[in-house]
Amino acid sequence: MPAPVLSIITVCFNAREELRRTVESVLPQTWRQFEYLVVDGDSADGTKPYLETCRETFSSAGLPFRYLCEPDRGIYDAMNKGTRMARGAWLLFLNAGDLLADSSVLEQFFSERTDAQILYGDALCTYQGRRKLYPALPLPQLVHDMAFCHQSAFIRRELLLAQPYDIRYRTGADHHFFLSMYLQQKSFAYRPVPVCIYEISGYSDTHKLAAHRELHRMQKELGVFRFSTGWLLRECRFYLVQGIKAVFGQRLTDFVRRHRLR
């Protein structure tokens, strides 16, 4: 059997129902030259029996499927395991609960040949049942923030084999990787297509201070940290927002997000 063009990798831990939704968004894809891999952190919620049922489901659909269940050292360690398992030239990471935007996403990206090393598109973000399109930002934004959603990026496997996600970064190893690739002048290509549907209350979203500290660390490590008026203003804004959230609590966060996602 020829190697697949794309490996879709889902990492999960005690998230059987979320994983089921992800699987259901992968199976209907009209472009079929992919394999589906699941790296589970040794869940205790019935994930493994469910993965056994997936063997027959994917086999009936004519799609390669494999999974690994064992403890890991965090989400990025699991992603690195998926990279090593993969046979595809391209990788797409969809965490449990993340969905492909529609059944034609892969066809829109892979029906034509590309020389790019990273392909990326837009994301549909959801919160409490509301949804909004978040277009990717210009690539120079990577110096300060993620310019696009990790789940909307297709990565040449050779890049992650050469430079795996740095698991010292607990919340931002994906940002560190993409910023590194940008600074190394790897070739990126953008297509204005929604790739994923992403719930914005993930790990990095709920650990903002840790993520912010990691941002400073990666900027210094990669030589792009610059003390300036713009940096100071961004810092003031960040800590002001975090202070307001601390005072007013989750209800304010919910109100602001519902307003943004109208």
Side-chain angles (χ1 to χ4, degrees), residues 10-75:
T10 295
V11 302
C12 61
F13 181 65
N14 289 334
R16 181 184 59 186
E17 293 308 311
E18 291 86 350
L19 174 62
R20 190 188 307 274
R21 294 197 297 273
T22 302
V23 167
E24 290 172 353
S25 82
V26 168
L27 283 167
Q29 289 298 306
T30 55
W31 184 86
R32 311 292 282 178
Q33 298 176 52
F34 68 90
E35 65 175 353
Y36 186 59
L37 309 177
V38 177
V39 182
D40 173 63
D42 201 20
S43 296
D45 66 343
T47 293
K48 188 170 183 178
Y50 169 66
L51 288 170
E52 280 296 317
T53 70
C54 287
R55 288 187 187 275
E56 183 176 349
T57 302
F58 278 86
S59 178
S60 298
L63 293 169
F65 169 77
R66 288 174 289 144
Y67 73 86
L68 174 68
C69 289
E70 64 180 29
D72 55 55
R73 291 178 290 170
I75 186 171

Side-chain angles (χ1 to χ4, degrees), residues 65-119:
F65 169 77
R66 288 174 289 144
Y67 73 86
L68 174 68
C69 289
E70 64 180 29
D72 55 55
R73 291 178 290 170
I75 186 171
Y76 296 109
D77 182 42
M79 289 180 181
N80 287 337
K81 291 181 181 182
T83 297
R84 294 191 293 269
M85 287 173 62
R87 297 175 62 238
W90 290 89
L91 305 178
L92 172 67
F93 292 94
L94 287 178
N95 294 334
D98 297 333
L99 313 176
L100 290 171
D102 61 52
S103 61
S104 68
V105 168
L106 300 184
E107 188 168 2
Q108 293 182 72
F109 274 83
F110 290 100
S111 59
E112 298 179 4
R113 186 181 178 280
T114 178
D115 292 325
Q117 294 169 291
I118 296 173
L119 285 169

Side-chain angles (χ1 to χ4, degrees), residues 93-216:
F93 292 94
L94 287 178
N95 294 334
D98 297 333
L99 313 176
L100 290 171
D102 61 52
S103 61
S104 68
V105 168
L106 300 184
E107 188 168 2
Q108 293 182 72
F109 274 83
F110 290 100
S111 59
E112 298 179 4
R113 186 181 178 280
T114 178
D115 292 325
Q117 294 169 291
I118 296 173
L119 285 169
Y120 64 101
D122 302 326
L124 290 163
C125 295
T126 65
Y127 188 74
Q128 295 186 346
R130 298 170 185 258
R131 182 181 297 179
K132 182 177 180 180
L133 175 67
Y134 276 81
L137 300 174
L139 284 178
Q141 183 67 23
L142 281 167
V143 173
H144 306 296
D145 201 354
M146 278 291 282
F148 48 82
C149 181
H150 188 190
Q151 294 91 321
S152 67
F154 300 90
I155 308 161
R156 291 275 188 185
R157 179 171 173 255
E158 60 196 30
L159 296 182
L160 273 168
L161 286 175
Q163 184 177 319
Y165 293 119
D166 187 338
I167 63 174
R168 295 175 302 164
Y169 290 93
R170 302 290 295 179
T171 64
D174 52 341
H175 186 186
H176 177 269
F177 170 79
F178 288 119
L179 177 55
S180 296
M181 296 300 103
Y182 173 69
L183 295 174
Q184 293 173 36
Q185 299 184 328
K186 303 299 184 184
S187 56
F188 289 71
Y190 167 68
R191 294 182 183 169
V193 175
V195 177
C196 63
I197 302 173
Y198 167 62
E199 175 65 46
I200 62 174
S201 57
Y203 182 85
S204 59
D205 184 71
T206 54
H207 294 75
K208 287 289 191 183
L209 288 174
H212 194 67
R213 287 193 291 268
E214 287 195 354
L215 171 63
H216 287 173

Side-chain angles (χ1 to χ4, degrees), residues 231-251:
W231 176 87
L232 186 60
L233 289 174
R234 284 191 296 272
E235 289 296 292
C236 290
R237 181 180 183 277
F238 174 82
Y239 284 105
L240 176 62
V241 170
Q242 298 312 305
I244 292 172
K245 287 181 179 179
V247 171
F248 292 98
Q250 187 63 34
R251 292 180 64 183

Side-chain angles (χ1 to χ4, degrees), residues 243-259:
I244 292 172
K245 287 181 179 179
V247 171
F248 292 98
Q250 187 63 34
R251 292 180 64 183
L252 177 64
T253 299
D254 292 342
F255 172 80
V256 171
R257 285 180 172 163
R258 285 195 298 268
H259 178 74

